[in-house]
Amino acid sequence: MKVAVPKEIGPGERRVALTPDAASTLVKSGLVVLVEKGAGAGAFHSDAAFEAAGARIVADAAALYGQADVVLKVQKPTIAEVDLLRQGTVLVSFLQALTSPDLVQRLAARGITSFGMEGIPRISRAQKMDALSSQANIAGYKSVLIAAESLPKFFPMLMTAAGTVFAARVLVIGAGVAGLQAIATARRLGAQVWGYDVRPAVKEQIHSLGARCLDFDLGLKDTEDKGGYARALSEEASRRQQQMLGEKTREFDVVITTALVPGRAAPRLVTKQTVAAMRPGSVIIDLAAEAGGNCELTVPDSVVVEHGVTIHGPTNLPATMPAHASQLYARNVTEFLREFVKDGALLLNFEDEIVAGTCVTHNGDVVSEAVKAALTGATS
Ligand code: NAD
């Protein structure tokens, strides 16, 4: 079975789906690994390093896709990339399937067996495949570095001969994987940190990182679905949340927002009125920018200054740390493959929770119930 790794073509994308170490693991397990020329360059892995690991270098994408049995990618493929795949090819990649109806339909029409890494269930057996977590962890860490660089103040408290400076006050909204890493990183830099999430279960995790919880009662029950993700709030609850957050947010030097609800636009948590009430010089890092932003004034992949507040809307921070991002993602996809490839063939059991969570298209059909429901919503 030939496992192929193309060069990522998304703008600014520097990650690669397999590192030489991960390629070597697959080669040792009897698979043939093909890597497109230059695919690892953005993450500082040379073609020679892949060859030393037992992979073969292929000159271009068309030649690579044309002989692949399995394709490993980071970013969801473009339609043009899908059209290079042979019928029956297995594709393992982030697909953002819930919000990419055109891509899903094309994958089905071309007879591709596709797996979306965003669908790995959050269960113990799948932890080593959890690519959302491995990449969100990086985004959370990097968001704090950007905030610290952008803030016209120190993060830690300092007592110097020239006077005392107080520690920066940081609020992290959304305490999932990215948010908890942001809290931990801001604490390491010496800031005073608060966390907030709509799911009450995370309070203990926020406290365990030495941060405080921003606590207000929206009077809601059932804020978490059975997968552990937040549910979308009603319009009324969302308005109350914006108002309560608005009253608190102005007290902070840095606000890092990470709130997401799978398959939906990001919840709007920081309104333009809230930004206007913040102190000039304050900084917002909106990690939900790609899903529409938690802050009303966010512009994706841009830095804007409004009312003296600097608002960053990065959409792909993992790509800015391509060495570790690729290392961790490569482990995630390698473990995924090892789970389902036995004696050089892919064995799919649709009763398996991991297959059911990740498989989007198979044999010409859309097989994921969640994606089918999203597609119906998108076309009705
Ligand atoms: P996510 O990226 O979907 O969302 C980020 C955070 O935003 C979440 O904590 C969510 O509750 C919060 N959020 C959503 N709407 C909000 C709102 N209106 N106001 C405030 N906060 C809001 O989340 P994630 O990081 O992918 O984590 C999702 C779940 O999966 C969590 O329960 C997490 O603990 C769990 N998880 C489990 C494992 C595992 O056991 N293997 C691994 C990783 C994550």
Side-chain angles (χ1 to χ4, degrees), residues 82-329:
V82 174
D83 289 349
L84 293 174
L85 295 171
R86 299 180 304 163
Q87 186 180 0
T89 302
V90 173
L91 170 68
V92 180
S93 178
F94 279 119
L95 294 176
Q96 292 153 16
L98 291 173
T99 50
S100 309
D102 295 348
L103 171 64
V104 170
Q105 271 152 358
R106 191 62 146 249
L107 288 166
R110 304 252 335 147
I112 307 303
T113 297
S114 61
F115 295 93
M117 289 301 285
E118 66 278 1
I120 297 278
R122 260 69 191 269
I123 55 173
S124 316
R125 183 165 66 94
Q127 267 181 2
K128 50 192 187 289
M129 310 169 202
D130 186 350
L132 274 184
S133 289
S134 72
Q135 306 302 296
N137 206 13
I138 292 173
Y141 168 80
K142 197 70 190 274
S143 68
V144 175
L145 302 190
I146 294 170
E149 216 272 331
S150 203
L151 188 72
K153 293 182 171 183
F154 279 110
F155 258 42
M157 178 185 171
L158 294 179
M159 295 170 88
T160 78
T164 299
V165 297
F166 294 106
R169 293 164 64 90
V170 175
L171 171 63
V172 178
I173 303 179
V177 179
L180 290 172
Q181 181 57 258
I183 289 171
T185 306
R187 288 274 305 145
R188 284 184 207 115
L189 279 180
Q192 284 189 283
V193 186
W194 279 256
Y196 167 74
D197 199 293
V198 76
R199 294 181 297 115
V202 300
K203 281 186 190 157
E204 208 181 303
Q205 292 162 342
I206 294 172
H207 285 145
S208 74
L209 294 170
R212 279 168 267 188
C213 283
L214 199 63
D215 216 357
F216 49 79
D217 188 10
L218 291 171
L220 300 173
K221 294 193 183 80
D222 279 349
T223 51
E224 186 167 320
D225 70 13
K226 60 181 185 329
Y229 290 99
R231 292 183 199 280
L233 301 188
S234 68
E235 224 170 278
E236 166 56 19
S238 169
R239 202 188 45 73
R240 271 186 288 138
Q241 190 187 39
Q242 283 176 353
Q243 198 179 355
M244 288 173 164
L245 272 176
E247 284 161 21
K248 299 283 182 192
T249 302
R250 67 188 68 170
E251 297 164 17
F252 292 92
D253 299 298
V254 170
V255 177
I256 296 176
T257 67
T258 76
L260 290 172
V261 176
R264 300 221 178 204
R268 203 33 71 75
L269 304 172
V270 180
T271 62
K272 50 186 174 206
Q273 291 80 2
T274 298
V275 175
M278 289 174 75
R279 275 190 299 270
S282 304
V283 176
I284 296 174
I285 314 286
D286 190 345
L287 290 190
E290 196 186 7
N294 291 141
C295 172
E296 201 173 353
L297 296 175
T298 296
V299 179
D301 283 323
S302 298
V303 182
V304 293
V305 181
E306 295 278 356
H307 310 288
V309 177
T310 306
I311 305 164
H312 295 254
T315 62
N316 190 1
L317 288 181
T320 68
M321 282 181 43
H324 276 153
S326 303
Q327 177 193 320
L328 300 176
Y329 185 76

